[in-house]
Amino acid sequence: QVQLVESGGGLVQAGGSLRLSCAASGSFFRINNMGWYRQAPGKQRELVAAISRGGSTNYADSMKGRFSISRDNDKNTVYLQMNSLKPEDTAVYYCNAGVWLRSGVDSPYWGQGTQVTVSS
């Protein structure tokens, strides 16, 4: 069983910053790609940022320059530093990871989500 546990969400004023963390635990061989998605009320879930095991990153256009994704492979943890937050960044943020299980299967896993609310 693999679990992704997110932390770091909360309420912040516009222009403020938050840092999200997501730690993977359980029985697996390796964590491959990791990423953050978000879903605002009434909208589809969208990619925020992703990072490969080697550190290559990919960002949604609206987050470039404001958000930064990083990871610690030894801790099986991915981070999302969010700066210059805007009210439109308000959403539930989900962690995603591609997990190489000991069975040899590569399977995606999701965290439970953490709420980020940006007040104007």
Side-chain angles (χ1 to χ4, degrees), residues 10-102:
L11 174 65
V12 65
Q13 289 188 331
S17 298
L18 282 174
R19 188 189 194 215
L20 306 182
S21 300
C22 171
S25 63
S27 179
F28 51 84
F29 178 70
R30 193 177 72 183
I31 303 292
N32 295 319
N33 292 343
M34 302 186 83
W36 290 94
Y37 289 72
R38 70 184 187 185
Q39 188 166 19
K43 295 188 176 181
Q44 289 189 331
R45 189 173 297 189
E46 63 175 349
L47 173 69
V48 174
I51 185 167
S52 70
R53 184 171 180 82
S56 297
T57 59
N58 179 40
Y59 295 92
D61 287 343
S62 61
M63 287 66 154
K64 288 179 180 178
R66 298 191 300 125
F67 292 7
S68 178
I69 189 170
S70 61
R71 65 187 288 171
D72 184 331
N73 289 334
D74 290 336
K75 296 181 179 179
N76 294 312
T77 299
V78 63
Y79 306 96
L80 184 69
Q81 178 67 43
M82 304 186 292
N83 300 325
S84 302
L85 283 162
K86 306 174 182 180
E88 51 263 42
D89 293 318
T90 296
V92 178
Y93 284 70
Y94 296 91
C95 173
N96 171 267
V99 180
W100 190 358
L101 301 173
R102 297 190 184 280

